[in-house]
Amino acid sequence: MTLGKRAFGLDGRGHHTDVVTVLHGDEREGRGLDATETVQLHRIRLFGATGAVLLCVGALGAGAQPVLQNPVQGVRLLGLPARMPSAALTLAMTGTVLIVLAWLLLGRFAVGRRDPDGQPRRLSRSQLDRTLLLWILPLTVAPPMFSKDVYSYLAQSEIAARGLDPYAIGPAGALGVDHVLTRTVPNIWRETSAPYGPAFLWLGERITFLTGENIVSGIFLHRLLALGGVAMIVWALPRLARRCGVASVTALWLGAANPLLLFHLVAGIHNEALMLGLMLAGLELALRGIQADGPGSPLRGRYLAWLVAGTALIALSSMIKVPSLLALGFVGMALARRWGATIRAVPAAAALLAAVSLTVIVAVSWGSGLGLGWTNTLGTATEVRSWMSIPTLLGVGTGLAGVLLGLGDHTTAVLSITRPIAALIAAFITIRMLLAVLVGRIHPVGGLGVSLGAIVLLFPVVQPWYLLWAVIPLAAWATRPIFRIPTVAFSSLVSVILMPNGGEYQPFIIVQAAIATVVVVGLLIVATRNRLPWRDEDRTPPRPAESSDAYAGNP
């Protein structure tokens, strides 16, 4: 019994190290930048914007262009990058690296430096917002990049618009292999039914009614949906960070300005943007209701309205992609803790949230006309073997070792073992985090981030943008270098190794572009060595004592 309580974190606070002490520490907002740092910030902003423009231009030839209805094909100037693949890939890769480098330089002012009096100084919220907007704008008019999933969105939306069931039939079967929308869908997904929730397909159906079979217009409207999701992330993330005692600009830098978000949610137009935006906005509203007036007080009036609205938004986000539904568990545990963390409080909180969320889910499922078919396609993504998934990597690596040793290829058999074990570990971590929220050992935002991190890493399939499921919530809670340094390093690495066309180039083209990118970026670093803060030198003079008021950014 004692061992079980210790395993699930119910043995009291104690003095042993736990996930909170390892990952979280409170930090102050800090004061603003001085004149020298403001000039450097302006140059960093332009450096990143230059990268965004180069990436946009390179995408005209190296992006995930449609097979048919390519708007730049045959155009004298805009069509030139498509006829020069090495040059186009070089521009795209150079732009990608410049954005990542600018993000790393920006981190110096987002994480902050300390004055002699111990006060941190960071860029302001408005400065970060302007920087993020400047980097995003070129990507909003660029062709899709890093993935061709948006073409699957268009095809599946066309299926729904025709009155067919996208959960029962794929684009090739419903539209035909020669249909303009099917032609650009990757081969692996042409026969696959839709793995997305009915809310997303309903929105896609509305887009189809407006654009018909016009691919460019459909891409533009889907990107507007993604930008709406990014806007909700930018709105919710600093508010959640302040609830957790974390500097809002630091959370925004690590979460919203992350190159993974810029490249895969904005440029790549993935529906994770909408899922995460709705989930985080719902989490903020729900916690606004739960954490008001202190524990034990009645939940009524506007606080109850915030809780219901937040729960509805989280349920709606799960109708984009199901994993976000996990956030309801942490909202429920926070509510149960408000009600005393008793045995009766947990089912009471669960009943309230279940009533709201089931109402939303049923309304969306039947109101969209798609029913509950989405429950039959939740495992569609597991058809892909991803090197970023720990259980899949172990299974594939073991199978490869067996082949090299002459024992045969047992990859499938090993995967049937590693994946269930990984699922059990992820479930254990999630249950432990839920109970930790109930007893008050961890903040709900932190518990959600840790659980999503475990699920993502132990999921059978991990795409680069899946990492944002965990990185964005954890950016609002986890402050220790043990989290931030690996997150920054991995985000930077993954951002620069993926091909901008969502596929593969011939090796010699990649080598040529990589060499040219290294040379160009190296020359740019040398040219800006005295204008950008490449060296970690803090030469700013001490501030007078009267300027020690902490900066508090606008929400």
Side-chain angles (χ1 to χ4, degrees):
M1 187 69 176
T2 302
L3 184 60
K5 287 185 176 180
R6 179 172 297 179
F8 286 100
L10 298 176
D11 57 337
R13 288 186 172 272
H15 299 286
H16 57 279
T17 302
D18 59 12
V19 68
V20 177
T21 57
V22 170
L23 295 179
H24 176 72
D26 289 346
E27 60 183 8
R28 289 176 289 184
E29 289 287 351
R31 47 168 73 106
L33 304 178
D34 61 21
T36 301
E37 292 167 331
T38 301
V39 172
Q40 291 178 335
L41 172 63
H42 179 68
R43 293 170 180 168
I44 292 171
R45 183 184 297 156
L46 293 179
F47 192 75
T50 302
V53 172
L54 290 177
L55 180 57
C56 178
V57 175
L60 295 175
Q65 302 279 23
V67 174
L68 301 175
Q69 297 186 15
N70 188 338
V72 301
Q73 188 173 9
V75 179
R76 180 169 299 177
L77 182 60
L78 295 179
L80 187 61
R83 297 192 291 271
M84 304 170 62
S86 295
L89 184 58
T90 299
L91 284 174
M93 292 177 68
T94 301
T96 299
V97 173
L98 293 186
I99 293 173
V100 171
L101 290 176
W103 178 65
L104 294 175
L105 291 174
L106 185 67
R108 185 169 299 169
F109 299 138
V111 175
R113 302 173 178 182
R114 293 191 176 274
D115 283 332
D117 62 359
Q119 284 280 354
R121 59 183 192 273
R122 300 184 175 93
L123 75 166
S124 69
R125 171 66 192 279
S126 61
Q127 288 173 327
L128 182 57
D129 286 345
R130 289 196 298 271
T131 302
L132 182 58
L133 182 62
L134 189 62
W135 293 357
I136 284 179
L137 279 177
L139 303 180
T140 61
V141 297
M145 285 178 275
F146 303 102
S147 173
K148 297 180 180 179
D149 280 6
V150 67
Y151 301 113
S152 295
Y153 301 165
L154 293 174
Q156 291 155 2
S157 300
E158 174 67 19
I159 294 172
R162 292 187 177 189
L164 302 175
D165 187 358
Y167 298 121
I169 188 170
L175 307 178
V177 292
D178 292 326
H179 191 273
V180 63
L181 297 179
T182 306
R183 290 284 298 277
T184 311
V185 175
N187 290 333
I188 191 175
W189 304 123
R190 289 188 180 184
E191 302 287 349
T192 305
S193 54
Y196 311 114
F200 181 71
L201 291 180
W202 183 85
L203 290 171
E205 191 177 345
R206 305 279 80 73
I207 290 176
T208 298
F209 286 146
L210 293 174
T211 63
E213 297 177 357
N214 189 302
I215 293 178
V216 175
S217 299
I219 289 172
F220 179 74
L221 292 182
H222 271 282
R223 182 165 273 154
L224 287 182
L225 284 182
L227 291 174
V230 171
M232 285 187 280
I233 292 173
V234 172
W235 177 85
L237 192 56
R239 290 169 167 79
L240 292 171
R242 283 194 289 270
R243 290 188 182 280
C244 299
V246 175
S248 58
V249 292
T250 309
L252 276 173
W253 166 76
L254 186 56
N258 193 303
L260 289 176
L261 184 145
L262 300 178
F263 297 157
H264 295 288
L265 301 194
V266 178
I269 323 181
H270 284 289
N271 55 13
E272 264 79 5
L274 201 55
M275 179 196 81
L276 290 170
L278 289 169
M279 182 189 76
L280 293 175
L283 186 61
E284 162 59 24
L285 292 179
L287 294 179
R288 185 178 297 183
I290 292 172
Q291 296 179 349
D293 286 350
S297 58
L299 194 64
R300 59 168 67 99
R302 68 176 183 274
Y303 303 128
L304 179 60
W306 280 334
L307 174 61
V308 172
T311 302
L313 285 180
I314 295 173
L316 184 60
S317 74
S318 72
M319 293 293 93
I320 306 295
K321 296 189 81 168
V322 173
S324 64
L325 195 63
L326 180 64
L328 280 182
F330 290 91
V331 171
M333 286 302 187
L335 179 60
R337 176 164 178 78
R338 175 192 171 105
W339 287 344
T342 62
I343 296 178
R344 293 182 178 180
V346 174
L352 175 60
L353 299 189
V356 176
S357 57
L358 286 176
T359 300
V360 172
I361 291 172
V362 171
V364 170
S365 297
W366 295 107
S368 65
L370 297 171
L372 297 175
W374 57 273
T375 59
N376 299 321
T377 62
L378 298 179
T380 299
T382 58
E383 297 178 7
V384 179
R385 292 180 178 178
S386 170
W387 64 270
M388 295 178 65
S389 166
I390 293 177
T392 300
L393 182 62
L394 289 175
V396 173
T398 303
L400 179 61
V403 172
L404 295 176
L405 294 174
L407 302 176
D409 186 0
H410 301 287
T411 301
T412 302
V414 176
L415 286 175
S416 67
I417 298 174
T418 58
R419 286 179 170 179
I421 292 175
L424 289 175
I425 295 173
F428 170 77
I429 294 174
T430 299
I431 292 172
R432 199 179 194 282
M433 291 299 102
L434 287 168
L435 294 175
V437 171
L438 180 65
V439 300
R441 296 182 65 169
I442 191 171
H443 195 279
V445 176
L448 175 62
V450 172
S451 298
L452 285 174
I455 290 172
V456 167
L457 294 178
L458 297 173
F459 198 64
V461 177
V462 179
Q463 301 290 1
W465 53 93
Y466 288 7
L467 298 174
L468 294 171
W469 298 3
V471 168
I472 293 179
L474 284 175
W477 176 77
T479 60
R480 302 295 188 191
I482 195 174
F483 164 73
R484 284 180 174 170
I485 292 176
T487 299
V488 169
F490 199 71
S491 298
S492 303
L493 177 64
V494 173
S495 295
V496 300
I497 64 175
L498 298 178
M499 292 296 99
N501 68 343
E504 297 294 336
Y505 279 93
Q506 294 295 328
F508 74 92
I509 295 180
I510 297 176
V511 171
Q512 289 175 349
I515 293 174
T517 298
V518 170
V519 171
V520 171
V521 172
L523 291 174
L524 285 174
I525 291 175
V526 171
T528 59
R529 64 187 184 279
N530 295 323
R531 301 180 66 84
L532 292 175
W534 295 109
R535 294 183 294 271
D536 188 15
E537 297 178 3
D538 192 353
R539 300 177 179 175
T540 54
R543 291 173 178 257
E546 61 268 20
S547 64
S548 61
D549 292 337
Y551 170 81
N554 294 325

